[in-house]
């Protein structure tokens, strides 16, 4: 993480270069040089407090481009001490606070109307790799981290499909990917966290130290503390992988083979995609599976790896890839989307966790009502199994089933098409309710209209734990209001 500051600087609004000297509790606004009236002086900081329009506007948007809440200021910290000082200051004045990493939320989760957004990107330090572990700042992107650990022949065990996300951001949610069936979520690979609580306390927590806080932060959606650093477990990295795309023509066989693969763990990575056929129906099923080669595993053998699977041989592909090229294979796709202007579309995502014994029925129902227009030109539909026995973070809520499935409809549409946005959000809510009634959950990275009663139902037996932790570590309730939990 960042070292303690060696000097202190005044806080400035970048555009106007006006020195911010305090907060006016009467006007609920930051006071600058020349302002009269009473105000409470801001603490001296190493970093910068940004109050210019451009910084505030950027923090009022996210990857979803659906919700816009404008903060009164953005903190670009120069140290963890800055975060401590400003959280305490905001607590004193009842100013709400939200951390922001890469801004990849889709429904305003990291936004705060009239409050303070804390950028975590300055926490970009990667510590030495020792004993199969590495300590990093919360703002480090998984792509940067992996390139660093590969120099030691090691890798984080679990990745989300997109690597340009911050460590702190995904740990606050969970971090699910194709390796989750074997290693759990990214929060299950964390051995320690460095956080600033809503009370303004700088705490290091782990399974053996401040365990309650450790469990409340992992997948805790930022409700108790701001993650500023993490220690992560690493595993041996392969030099190359064998990557398979296996086509199926019916949902039942597709799901059955996926379940078989995560049960016998013959592949290190298992996911699945569903595409529309020529008639516009989502009936093209592609099982994606990857076996790691030496030194992480034996040399992959196609015959033994594919034995017993009932895919359609026509259209099957198998290729050997460099390991980093495999885990970052979405990178070139994203570059193409950005070049085509599609990256700036709205993203009303639907992310659901289906009970395994209901996965076929629920997926079939949701897919039957799906059209290419509902997904969009750059959208993707994912469906793949997890192993509940590998998922240990108490706040990463899962269906009560041994093999739950993640169903993700990663929709895109023009942000100015408000009628389509409203229709897709309503469809998300309807799909969620059908899954909830069958014992499923949402994976809370998407865009589902949710109220406080929904959150209590979502957390279920874990709700008293989260509520008690919130009272203890954020007693004035200033952290991350955009989630809408409390």
């Amino acid at each position: 993480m960042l070292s303690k500051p060696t000097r202190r600087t005044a806080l400035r609004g970048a555009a106007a270069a006006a020195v911010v000297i305090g907060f006016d509790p009467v006007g609920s606004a930051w006071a600058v040089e020349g302002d009269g009236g009473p105000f409470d002086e801001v603490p001296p900081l190493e970093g910068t407090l940004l109050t210019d329009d451009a910084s505030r506007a950027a923090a009022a948007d996210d990857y979803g481009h659906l919700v816009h809440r404008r903060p009164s200021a953005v903190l670009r910290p120069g140290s963890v001490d800055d975060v401590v000082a400003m959280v305490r200051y905001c607590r004193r004045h009842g100013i709400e606070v939200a951390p922001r990493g890469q801004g990849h939320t889709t429904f305003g989760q990291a936004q705060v109307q009239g409050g303070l957004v804390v950028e975590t990107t300055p926490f970009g330090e990667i510590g030495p790799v020792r004993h199969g572990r590495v300590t990093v700042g919360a703002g480090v992107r998984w792509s940067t981290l992996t390139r660093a650990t590969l120099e030691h022949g090691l890798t984080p065990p679990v990745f989300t499909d997109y690597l340009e996300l911050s460590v702190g951001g995904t740990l606050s949610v969970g971090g699910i990917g194709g390796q989750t069936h074997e290693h759990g979520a990214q929060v299950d690979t964390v051995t320690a966290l460095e956080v600033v609580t809503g009370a303004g306390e700088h705490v290091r927590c782990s399974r053996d130290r401040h365990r309650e806080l450790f469990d409340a932060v992992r997948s805790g959606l930022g409700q108790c503390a701001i993650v500023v650093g993490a220690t992560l477990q690493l595993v041996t990295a392969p030099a190359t992988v064998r990557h398979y795309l296996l086509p199926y023509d019916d949902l039942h066989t597709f799901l059955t083979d996926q379940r078989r693969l995560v049960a016998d763990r013959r592949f290190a990575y298992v996911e699945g995609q569903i595409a529309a056929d020529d008639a516009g129906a989502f009936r093209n099923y592609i099982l994606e599976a990857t076996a790691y080669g030496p030194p992480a595993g034996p040399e992959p053998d196609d015959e033994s790896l594919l034995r017993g699977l009932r895919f359609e041989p026509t259209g099957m592909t198998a290729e050997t890839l460099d390991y980093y090229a495999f885990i970052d294979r979405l990178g070139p796709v994203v570059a193409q989307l950005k070049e085509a202007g599609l990256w700036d579309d709205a993203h009303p995502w639907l992310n659901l966790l289906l009970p395994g014994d209901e996965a076929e029925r629920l997926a079939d129902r949701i897919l039957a009502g799906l059209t290419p227009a509902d997904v969009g030109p750059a959208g993707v539909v994912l469906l793949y199994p997890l192993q509940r026995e590998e998922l240990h973070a108490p706040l990463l809520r899962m269906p009560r089933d041994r093999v739950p499935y993640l169903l993700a409809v990663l929709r895109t549409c023009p942000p100015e098409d408000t009628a389509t946005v409203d229709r897709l959000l309503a469809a998300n809510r309807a799909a969620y309710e059908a899954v909830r009634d069958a014992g499923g959950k949402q994976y809370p990275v998407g865009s589902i209209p949710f109220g406080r009663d929904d959150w209590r139902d979502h957390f279920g037996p874990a709700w008293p734990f989260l509520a008690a932790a919130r009272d203890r570590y954020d007693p004035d309730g200033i952290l991350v209001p955009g989630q809408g939990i409390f």
Side-chain angles (χ1 to χ4, degrees):
M1 281 46 73
L2 296 186
S3 60
K4 291 186 177 181
T6 57
R7 62 183 180 86
R8 301 285 183 171
T9 59
L11 306 177
R12 297 181 180 271
V19 177
V20 179
I21 56 178
F23 184 80
D24 174 9
V26 177
S28 295
W30 299 101
V32 299
E33 279 186 337
D35 286 349
F39 56 83
D40 184 13
E41 290 188 8
V42 295
L45 301 176
E46 177 71 3
T48 307
L49 189 68
L50 304 168
T51 57
D52 62 286
D53 287 342
S55 297
R56 293 165 62 202
D61 194 15
D62 60 19
Y63 179 66
H65 307 305
L66 301 170
V67 176
H68 300 86
R69 302 186 183 105
R70 190 179 179 90
S72 62
V74 176
L75 175 66
R76 188 163 296 157
S79 68
V80 174
D81 288 348
D82 284 0
V83 181
V84 170
M86 286 307 299
V87 168
R88 290 178 180 177
Y89 186 87
C90 289
R91 181 187 178 193
R92 186 161 66 246
H93 292 290
I95 301 170
E96 294 177 319
V97 179
R100 175 187 173 94
Q102 292 299 311
H104 205 74
T105 54
T106 65
F107 211 41
Q109 290 95 329
Q111 297 175 23
V112 54
Q113 183 65 41
L116 178 71
V117 167
V118 177
E119 294 183 349
T120 63
T121 49
F123 300 114
E125 183 175 318
I126 299 176
V129 174
R130 293 174 179 160
H131 310 296
R133 296 180 179 180
V134 63
T135 297
V136 304
V140 172
R141 291 180 293 180
W142 289 95
S143 60
T144 305
L145 171 61
T146 306
R147 284 193 291 266
T149 63
L150 284 176
E151 295 180 2
H152 302 267
L154 300 171
T155 178
V158 182
F159 294 98
T160 58
D161 289 331
Y162 184 50
L163 297 189
E164 304 306 320
L165 305 179
S166 69
V167 169
T170 62
L171 296 183
S172 295
V173 177
I176 289 175
Q179 301 93 345
T180 292
H181 73 278
E182 185 170 353
H183 295 285
Q186 288 177 329
V187 288
D188 294 303
T189 70
V190 178
T191 62
L193 290 168
E194 184 179 1
V195 304
V196 176
T197 70
E201 300 298 324
H202 182 192
V203 184
R204 290 174 175 83
C205 56
S206 66
R207 290 181 177 86
D208 302 319
R209 182 182 184 188
H210 304 296
R211 177 63 183 263
E212 179 191 44
L213 180 59
F214 183 67
D215 285 342
V217 174
R218 294 183 301 145
S219 302
L221 306 180
Q223 297 304 291
C224 297
I226 297 171
V227 177
V228 294
T231 301
L232 306 171
Q233 189 70 50
L234 304 172
V235 296
T236 301
T240 62
V241 304
R242 189 70 170 158
H243 180 235
Y244 303 87
L245 295 174
L246 311 175
Y248 289 76
D249 59 12
D250 76 278
L251 180 61
H252 177 77
T253 306
F254 171 71
L255 296 177
T256 300
D257 275 4
Q258 281 187 325
R259 182 184 292 264
R260 177 176 184 176
L261 292 184
V262 300
D264 64 25
R265 306 194 186 206
R266 72 177 82 171
F267 289 100
Y269 173 101
V270 176
E271 282 199 12
Q273 302 176 23
I274 306 172
D277 60 19
D278 292 339
F282 281 80
R283 292 184 297 225
N284 286 338
Y285 312 99
I286 303 294
L287 195 160
E288 184 177 17
T290 303
Y292 289 179
E299 194 66 44
D301 176 70
D302 289 354
E303 182 178 354
S304 60
L305 286 169
L306 301 179
R307 184 177 295 122
L309 300 181
R310 295 171 292 171
F311 59 91
E312 296 295 321
T314 303
M316 181 269 259
T317 66
E319 58 181 339
T320 299
L321 300 173
D322 170 82
Y323 173 65
Y324 188 82
F326 161 67
I327 62 172
D328 193 38
R329 66 201 180 283
L330 198 60
V333 177
V334 170
Q336 293 173 3
L337 293 176
K338 290 181 177 180
E339 185 176 351
L342 296 174
W343 190 251
D344 295 326
D345 276 357
H347 298 91
W349 282 5
L350 174 66
N351 300 77
L352 299 170
L353 294 161
L354 316 180
D357 58 0
E358 294 277 5
E360 183 175 349
R361 179 182 69 83
L362 291 168
D364 185 59
R365 172 178 171 177
I366 293 170
L367 294 171
L370 205 59
T371 69
D374 295 331
V375 178
V380 178
V381 180
L382 304 175
L383 180 61
Y384 60 90
L386 316 172
Q387 289 272 42
R388 200 171 190 275
E389 66 183 15
E390 301 296 337
L391 299 163
H392 305 294
L395 295 182
L396 180 55
R397 305 308 297 164
M398 286 284 158
R400 293 184 177 180
D401 188 282
R402 186 174 60 85
V403 185
Y405 276 75
L406 175 71
L407 171 62
V409 183
L410 307 184
R411 312 178 190 268
T412 67
C413 69
E416 66 275 8
D417 187 354
T418 56
T420 296
V421 168
D422 291 344
R423 178 177 63 82
L424 296 179
L425 292 177
N428 286 355
R429 177 68 196 192
Y432 163 73
E433 290 179 358
V435 169
R436 175 202 62 195
D437 292 346
K441 299 289 183 181
Q442 73 147 318
Y443 178 51
V445 300
S447 307
I448 301 174
F450 235 53
R452 287 178 172 82
D453 289 341
D454 294 314
W455 282 115
R456 287 179 175 83
D457 180 69
H458 169 82
F459 284 106
W463 174 257
F465 167 75
L466 176 59
R470 170 80 163 190
D471 287 343
R472 178 176 180 182
Y473 297 108
D474 184 18
D476 292 294
I478 65 170
L479 291 182
V480 196
Q483 294 283 4
I485 297 174
F486 291 97

